[in-house]
Amino acid sequence: MDAAQAPEPGASPVPRTAQMPVIGLLAPPMDARPVAASQAGPGLRAAVAEDAPITTSMPLLPRRQPQDEEGVHDAARELERRLLGSPRTLRRREVAAGVGVSLLSARKLWRALGLPRVGDDEIAYTQDDEDALGTIIDQVRQHKLSEEAALSITRSLGQLTDRMVIWQIEAIVEDLVQNQGMSDAEARRQVILILDELIEPIEEVMAYAYRRNLAAAVQRQVVRAESGLRASNQGRDGSEDDAALPLARAVGFADMVSFTKLSRGMGERKLAKLVQGFEARCSEIITVAGGRLVKTIGDEVLYVAETPQAGALIALALAKEFDGDENTPQVRVGMVWGRVLSRLGDIYGATVNMASRLTAIAEPHQVLCDHLTAQVLAGDERFVIAAQSPVHLHGFGDVTPFDLAPGTGPGLAMD
């Protein structure tokens, strides 16, 4: 909201944080070269400090009215009407018939999207539901996708958007609790009242992020896949457990040490800050090095990188980042360069299992790798590698782990 804009009728005054100075917005640039703020004029961008805040005079989200239960339910019904596109007027058989498929086929797609089962006589669907179902089915009818591929892609949309919207709602709830002093119950009611204004901006960024990440994934998963396999041949004879798998990747796990003990007795806010801080800092390090955070699994993260060197730099940076104070638990890391199968947004194979086993036996702040990874990294001045005593790893037998430590060359530079 603009600094001069008055709050809506019925809304409480909009407080503003005092620590965020105003950054002036200039006219659309004709010359994108940064200049001193004192010299900035039409068509020129003002130079902004590297550590400047995202925005200026950041307003807190206004507390909306009504707060009573009936008003919240009315707002929820209105929000649903907007999200669904129109009132519910169709039964499931009518939707299936409208796109010319059996109810069985329609149910397969709805289950893939994560939609709950409804009865035959329940009016639960809208015209948008029919249009979306038709869009998916048309890809099969036009021979762009097989039925199996269409179901898999639909399942990806259902599962990932389900997690995404839960994440977003909880982020708003947490913000309202922390910055406006609301109770959790009050914050959840407020989400219904304020979400309407956030739908379009979130949708725009989501579409942008999808295209950006798809472009990057095409490079990783298609364009550079063959060259990665050729690079992974060093030190191999073709008899390895992962030899038949199609992608060469550095696979790493970073695990919070003694997380159960550390989190015991923590309140909601402190525990949330701990896990969110861990995930956010890991994500930043992995992204800066060109890796990808595959997933967060409880108290650990799984990441991949396209080269063993990138994977090793990430591993060392993660081990160094967390110093073990009350807000940053110690971390141990296992990293293996090998071949993996990529499916369902996850990765599988012996390389993943080896990295997980090595993480479990590592000491706090330690990075362990296997003999093949150590062989590939040998000679790179950025790394110091030392063999450890052999250990027995479930599923692999007796294995010699290698300690990976920083060398004399430059490490990962965070911008």
Side-chain angles (χ1 to χ4, degrees), residues 19-64:
Q19 69 271 24
M20 293 192 174
V22 173
I23 301 172
L25 298 178
L26 302 179
M30 294 180 292
D31 185 342
R33 293 172 296 176
V35 297
S38 61
Q39 298 174 336
L44 295 178
R45 285 184 180 174
V48 178
E50 288 282 345
D51 58 351
I54 295 175
T55 69
T56 68
S57 63
M58 177 81 79
L60 297 178
L61 293 175
R63 184 188 293 261
R64 298 303 175 90

Side-chain angles (χ1 to χ4, degrees), residues 87-92 94-95 122-127 130:
R88 300 173 190 257
T89 58
L90 300 172
R91 297 172 176 84
R92 62 179 189 171
E94 294 169 333
V95 176
E122 188 173 348
I123 298 176
Y125 297 98
T126 71
Q127 186 60 47
E130 183 174 318

Side-chain angles (χ1 to χ4, degrees), residues 104-117 133 136 147-162:
L104 176 63
S105 295
R107 286 206 308 264
K108 284 182 181 179
L109 289 165
W110 285 327
R111 283 198 297 267
L113 281 170
L115 303 185
R117 183 182 183 277
L133 188 66
I136 300 168
E147 182 176 337
E148 182 179 0
L151 281 168
S152 184
I153 291 172
T154 302
R155 193 172 294 112
S156 78
L157 293 170
Q159 291 183 10
L160 296 179
T161 52
D162 175 71

Side-chain angles (χ1 to χ4, degrees), residues 272-405:
K273 184 177 180 180
L274 174 67
V275 296
Q276 290 171 355
F278 173 69
E279 193 276 344
R281 291 165 73 175
C282 288
S283 178
E284 288 176 1
I285 290 170
I286 292 164
T287 301
V288 165
R292 181 174 74 90
L293 195 158
V294 178
K295 60 183 177 181
T296 303
I297 316 163
D299 56 351
E300 68 179 2
V301 298
L302 167 62
Y303 72 88
V304 293
E306 290 187 65
T307 68
Q309 292 78 17
L313 289 172
I314 291 170
L316 293 173
L318 290 172
K320 180 182 178 182
E321 175 71 10
F322 299 90
D323 56 15
D325 64 26
E326 62 178 3
N327 297 316
T328 56
Q330 294 176 316
V331 166
R332 55 189 177 186
V333 185
M335 195 280 294
V336 176
W337 168 243
R339 296 181 180 180
V340 301
L341 175 69
S342 176
R343 290 292 187 275
L344 308 176
D346 207 340
I347 54 172
Y348 305 88
T351 299
V352 182
N353 296 333
M354 174 62 80
S356 177
R357 302 285 193 277
L358 291 173
T359 304
I361 65 170
E363 297 294 328
H365 297 302
Q366 186 179 36
V367 178
L368 292 180
C369 63
D370 69 338
H371 75 285
L372 183 57
T373 307
Q375 181 178 331
V376 173
L377 295 175
D380 191 318
E381 66 176 5
R382 293 172 294 178
F383 311 114
V384 174
I385 302 167
Q388 308 294 288
S389 299
V391 294
H392 185 84
L393 298 182
H394 178 69
F396 293 95
D398 292 334
V399 171
T400 299
F402 288 76
D403 179 83
L404 178 64

Side-chain angles (χ1 to χ4, degrees), residues 44-242:
L44 295 178
R45 285 184 180 174
V48 178
E50 288 282 345
D51 58 351
I54 295 175
T55 69
T56 68
S57 63
M58 177 81 79
L60 297 178
L61 293 175
R63 184 188 293 261
R64 298 303 175 90
Q65 300 294 337
Q67 282 289 296
D68 60 276
E69 187 172 347
E70 182 180 352
V72 170
H73 283 302
D74 289 342
R77 285 190 289 270
E78 182 59 34
L79 180 62
E80 181 185 83
R81 281 193 289 270
R82 179 178 175 188
L83 290 171
L84 298 185
S86 61
R88 300 173 190 257
T89 58
L90 300 172
R91 297 172 176 84
R92 62 179 189 171
R93 288 188 181 277
E94 294 169 333
V95 176
V99 296
V101 298
S102 68
L103 182 57
L104 176 63
S105 295
R107 286 206 308 264
K108 284 182 181 179
L109 289 165
W110 285 327
R111 283 198 297 267
L113 281 170
L115 303 185
R117 183 182 183 277
V118 298
D120 280 338
D121 295 328
E122 188 173 348
I123 298 176
Y125 297 98
T126 71
Q127 186 60 47
D128 281 3
D129 289 307
E130 183 174 318
D131 293 343
L133 188 66
T135 298
I136 300 168
I137 290 169
D138 282 347
Q139 309 315 302
V140 179
R141 287 173 173 161
Q142 296 169 15
H143 305 289
K144 296 177 181 178
L145 294 171
S146 67
E147 182 176 337
E148 182 179 0
L151 281 168
S152 184
I153 291 172
T154 302
R155 193 172 294 112
S156 78
L157 293 170
Q159 291 183 10
L160 296 179
T161 52
D162 175 71
R163 182 184 181 213
M164 180 185 71
V165 296
I166 295 298
W167 186 332
Q168 292 168 356
I169 288 173
E170 294 299 334
I172 298 171
V173 169
E174 183 180 20
D175 184 64
L176 292 169
V177 169
Q178 290 188 354
N179 293 323
Q180 294 211 34
M182 295 184 186
S183 69
D184 186 84
E186 288 174 328
R188 293 183 189 280
R189 289 195 295 270
Q190 278 290 306
V191 167
I192 296 172
L193 302 175
I194 66 177
L195 191 58
D196 184 72
E197 296 180 8
L198 297 173
I199 294 171
E200 289 185 4
I202 291 174
E203 280 184 333
E204 289 177 9
V205 177
M206 184 175 66
Y208 161 77
Y210 170 75
R211 289 178 175 272
R212 254 299 191 165
N213 283 313
L214 183 58
V218 167
Q219 293 294 319
R220 289 194 307 264
Q221 304 294 100
V222 181
V223 176
R224 296 193 294 264
E226 189 173 348
S227 61
L229 280 178
R230 288 196 300 267
S232 72
N233 286 330
Q234 181 181 344
R236 290 173 170 266
D237 60 17
S239 64
E240 295 77 16
D241 293 339
D242 63 352

